[in-house]
Amino acid sequence: MLERLIIRNFVLIDELTIDFRPGFTAITGETGAGKSIILGAIALLMGQRADSSSVRPGAERCIIEAHFGQIDETVNQILSAEDIDPEVDECIIRREISVKGKSRSFVNDSPASLQLLKQLSEYLIDIHSQHKNLLLGDAHFQLSVLDLYSLNAADRAAYVESYRELRELRRQLAEAEALASEQIREQDYLQFQFDQLHAAALEVDELERLEEEERILSHALDIKTALSKAFSALDDDEQGALRTLGVALESVQSIRRYFPEAEELYERLQSSRIELVDLAQTLDSQSESISYDPQRLQYVSERLDLLQGLLLKHGKPDCQALIEHRDELERRLEAISCSDERIAALRQTLLQREERTTSLAEVLHGQRVEAAKAIEQALVEALRELGMPHVRLSIQLDRLAELGASGQDQATFLFSANKEIPLEPVADIASGGEISRLMLSIKALIADRRSLPTIIFDEIDTGVSGDIADRIGIILQQMGRSMQVMAVTHLPQIAAAGQDHYYIYKEHEAEATRSHIRRLEHLERVQEIARMQSGNKLTDISLAAAAELLTTTQNRLNNEAR
């Protein structure tokens, strides 16, 4: 519940601290006194966007802070998920807005996003203003009333999770089918490319080897002639280098006995002769191995043309890159061939998930049918007590053709306040006062079925008479037994029903106008109720009537409570 509200430098409020208590609290004040300002401050704590106009003129920033007690365990779970330490049975939300329009939010003194504030507000407080009556025309709201009354949160959570998985499977299947369709269109082209590369029987470094072989084959006669000429220069019997070197060896050998240096010269000449003999043999062998083979040259040339054409076609630098491209094409073709299997598996899984989700939707439908019957009866009884003796209400549940985020149901509240008027959707036929009373009855009906500890009604009494206002006061008081209820009201009957009564007023100072709020004691309540009944000119008669209304209302409520 909302235990304390602190407001500083917000619009017309200089500084304000309000302590609230459990039960039903009435909030009154003259028109324009600032009731909407306080509700606006609370709305900012619920995540509503703000701008610099929120800051009181002359101030640098405004601060709004709320202390909530008796919080639901879900709040602590949300905070833990955001790495915010939960306080012991308390949640403190603070919002700071600078004159430049910048906003900062904190939960338990930790920075928080507006999205987190909105999420927390679902479990902390609800402001019901006149524009929220428009929810009665919203199919989602009408369905949520049935679900809240059914207390089927676990079943709804199971359905939502199953529906989420269903949508994900549908997305995956659509993506797989689209990809398969695209791949099938290019399969023939991929297969042609792969077959061409596969038939080429590519080898790593083949291009370099063939280019070298082509150079040799293209100049085979020149190479053979040069090698033979080199061999003859070494091994010619008449003028060859080996013959001449032999003469040199004989000459040096003849002086070895009496010329010491001749020994080293002889060994060097002998080593050179051995090297030249080996070199001559190599030249002869290579000369013999070289032959002009026009058929081989033609094959090598054609093979080079093929490889170079493939490199150019596929934009690859060498045979290794072509081999890698061929292998990638093979993998893609295998994936295409396997796509039918994956699609078949996805379709089977999707069918099973659809059956599961449909089954969960049936469970929700059954619960909603039962809830609709009970809600119809309860709301008719409540509305008759609120001055609508001929009211009729029916909740129509239509089955949708497709599963949706909330199941396969669409709820429509049909309403008629008069005997002769046929039932129509409530948003199309009900007046403002009728909608206000219907929304109040709905909120009262589901109040103890929600984990929401605080609700604030802003002018729920619009368009109702004194007798009906008296009954509304009783309903708000009854709601206050299970939750904290506040109501901004202009009717004395509702104000008299409050266990607490706060008065909002303005003070016109020399330089500015300021809004204030204070909790009224008994005599002050009598004076305020008298003002609400008779205007600002209070008389003994108006004060006595107000005291009578307050005493009678409180006694009756106390008796009902017992």
Side-chain angles (χ1 to χ4, degrees):
M1 57 170 278
L2 177 59
E3 295 180 340
R4 173 171 291 183
L5 180 65
I6 302 171
I7 304 174
R8 296 189 181 95
N9 299 324
F10 180 67
V11 192
L12 299 180
I13 296 175
D14 187 1
E15 183 167 354
L16 191 65
T17 299
I18 317 169
D19 292 315
F20 295 103
R21 296 190 290 190
F24 171 42
T25 296
I27 301 175
T28 65
E30 296 181 354
T31 301
K35 298 185 290 295
S36 61
I37 295 177
I38 292 177
L39 294 179
I42 297 175
L44 289 176
L45 293 175
M46 297 169 64
Q48 180 177 297
R49 294 197 174 275
D51 53 40
S52 59
S53 63
S54 301
V55 182
R56 180 179 61 81
E60 290 296 321
R61 62 175 179 169
C62 70
I63 299 175
I64 306 164
E65 182 177 302
H67 295 235
F68 295 92
Q70 303 176 20
I71 58 176
D72 186 84
E73 179 58 29
T74 306
V75 172
N76 287 333
Q77 293 174 359
I78 294 173
L79 296 180
S80 297
E82 296 289 330
D83 292 328
I84 297 176
D85 293 332
E87 299 291 339
V88 179
D89 199 29
E90 186 178 40
C91 180
I92 302 174
I93 299 177
R94 186 172 78 255
R95 187 93 181 265
E96 299 179 1
I97 303 163
S98 73
V99 72
K100 296 181 179 179
K102 294 183 179 180
S103 170
R104 298 192 303 167
S105 304
F106 302 87
V107 176
N108 293 345
D109 287 329
S110 296
S113 65
L114 293 185
Q115 184 58 41
L116 177 59
L117 299 192
K118 292 177 181 178
Q119 187 179 6
L120 290 174
S121 69
E122 294 292 326
Y123 300 93
L124 294 174
I125 192 168
D126 174 27
I127 298 179
H128 180 84
S129 56
Q130 288 188 51
H131 79 272
K132 280 200 172 182
N133 289 334
L134 298 175
L135 286 173
L136 268 178
D138 181 70
H140 177 73
F141 172 77
Q142 295 176 1
L143 199 61
S144 70
V145 171
L146 301 182
D147 288 334
L148 284 170
Y149 190 86
S150 298
L151 297 175
N152 62 356
D155 292 327
R156 276 191 295 114
Y159 174 84
V160 169
E161 177 60 21
S162 185
Y163 182 71
R164 184 195 65 77
E165 293 177 1
L166 175 64
R167 292 186 62 185
E168 175 60 19
L169 284 169
R170 286 173 175 170
R171 185 196 65 78
Q172 291 180 14
L173 177 59
E175 187 177 90
E177 289 176 336
L179 180 60
S181 178
E182 179 182 345
Q183 289 176 332
I184 288 173
R185 287 194 296 270
E186 66 175 351
Q187 184 176 18
D188 291 343
Y189 178 63
L190 295 177
Q191 189 68 54
F192 171 77
Q193 287 186 311
F194 172 77
D195 291 343
Q196 190 180 45
L197 291 174
H198 181 71
L202 301 168
E203 297 178 8
V204 177
D205 299 331
E206 182 183 9
L207 183 67
E208 292 79 3
R209 288 187 282 107
L210 289 174
E211 286 175 340
E212 182 180 348
E213 185 178 359
E214 184 190 40
R215 285 193 298 272
I216 293 174
L217 289 171
S218 298
H219 300 84
L221 294 178
D222 293 337
I223 295 172
K224 190 173 183 66
T225 300
L227 291 174
S228 297
K229 186 176 181 180
F231 173 75
S232 297
L234 292 178
D235 203 25
D236 184 82
D237 291 339
E238 298 296 330
Q239 298 178 352
L242 286 173
R243 172 75 176 172
T244 304
L245 188 59
V247 173
L249 278 168
E250 292 175 358
S251 298
V252 173
Q253 186 178 18
S254 65
I255 61 174
R256 287 170 67 187
R257 288 176 297 172
Y258 43 79
F259 184 60
E261 286 80 358
E263 185 68 26
E264 180 184 355
L265 293 171
Y266 180 83
E267 290 178 357
R268 290 174 64 186
L269 286 169
Q270 182 66 17
S271 176
S272 297
R273 182 178 181 280
I274 293 172
E275 175 65 20
L276 284 177
V277 169
D278 182 67
L279 182 58
Q281 291 174 347
T282 300
L283 289 170
D284 185 49
S285 174
Q286 289 187 352
S287 176
E288 290 296 326
S289 68
I290 298 297
S291 62
Y292 177 65
D293 187 346
Q295 293 181 340
R296 178 63 184 177
L297 177 59
Q298 181 179 359
Y299 168 78
V300 170
S301 298
E302 291 174 352
R303 182 68 177 173
L304 280 172
D305 289 342
L306 172 65
L307 295 180
Q308 289 168 347
L310 291 174
L311 291 172
L312 181 63
K313 177 180 179 179
H314 296 282
K316 304 299 179 183
D318 51 39
C319 287
Q320 176 64 39
L322 276 179
I323 292 172
E324 293 173 357
H325 182 53
R326 178 200 64 196
D327 294 343
E328 173 61 23
L329 289 172
E330 185 176 22
R331 285 191 291 270
R332 291 175 66 181
L333 288 168
E334 289 176 355
I336 292 174
S337 65
C338 294
S339 64
D340 289 344
E341 298 176 7
R342 180 171 184 268
I343 288 173
L346 277 173
R347 285 173 177 167
Q348 180 62 30
T349 304
L350 177 60
L351 180 61
Q352 294 171 351
R353 178 52 55 185
E354 285 177 340
E355 292 174 351
R356 167 66 175 162
T357 310
T358 300
S359 176
L360 292 171
E362 287 296 328
V363 172
L364 292 179
H365 177 71
Q367 295 168 342
R368 289 163 177 170
V369 169
E370 292 300 316
K373 296 175 183 177
I375 292 172
E376 287 172 357
Q377 182 178 351
L379 289 181
V380 167
E381 292 176 359
L383 290 170
R384 285 174 179 169
E385 292 186 13
L386 289 174
M388 301 168 65
H390 304 299
V391 68
R392 286 173 294 145
L393 187 137
S394 175
I395 301 176
Q396 177 179 304
L397 268 180
D398 297 317
R399 302 308 302 275
L400 300 173
E402 300 289 339
L403 294 167
S406 301
Q408 205 169 357
D409 298 312
Q410 177 174 301
T412 304
F413 280 44
L414 302 176
F415 175 86
S416 175
N418 302 291
K419 293 180 181 180
E420 68 278 9
I421 303 298
L423 289 168
E424 296 285 349
V426 63
D428 297 340
I429 194 173
S431 66
E434 291 167 345
I435 287 180
S436 292
R437 281 175 276 177
L438 178 54
M439 280 298 288
L440 175 61
S441 299
I442 291 174
K443 295 276 186 176
L445 183 63
I446 62 177
D448 59 350
R449 295 175 181 263
R450 300 179 65 186
S451 58
L452 186 69
T454 301
I455 185 169
I456 301 176
F457 290 100
D458 182 15
E459 299 185 5
I460 193 67
D461 50 21
T462 300
V464 300
S465 63
D467 291 340
I468 304 306
D470 186 60
R471 183 57 195 165
I472 290 177
I474 293 174
I475 293 175
L476 295 176
Q477 173 63 256
Q478 291 171 342
M479 290 177 66
R481 294 170 190 162
S482 59
M483 65 188 302
Q484 185 184 48
V485 179
M486 303 179 197
V488 177
T489 181
H490 294 290
L491 297 181
Q493 294 88 344
I494 296 178
Q499 292 168 275
D500 273 341
H501 188 160
Y502 283 88
Y503 177 63
I504 299 177
Y505 60 99
K506 283 183 179 179
E507 286 187 348
H508 299 282
E509 301 172 358
E511 297 181 354
T513 300
R514 297 285 180 263
S515 290
H516 304 276
I517 185 171
R518 71 171 186 271
R519 181 173 177 272
L520 300 181
E521 299 299 334
H522 179 75
L523 291 179
E524 292 175 313
R525 289 191 71 179
V526 170
Q527 293 175 344
E528 171 61 4
I529 292 171
R531 183 195 64 78
M532 296 173 74
Q533 287 180 316
S534 307
N536 290 326
K537 293 184 178 180
L538 302 182
T539 64
D540 291 341
I541 295 175
S542 63
L543 290 170
E548 176 65 21
L549 174 62
L550 181 59
T551 301
T552 301
T553 302
Q554 292 295 320
N555 288 340
R556 183 183 62 216
L557 295 174
N558 291 334
N559 290 334
E560 289 185 2
R562 288 196 292 269

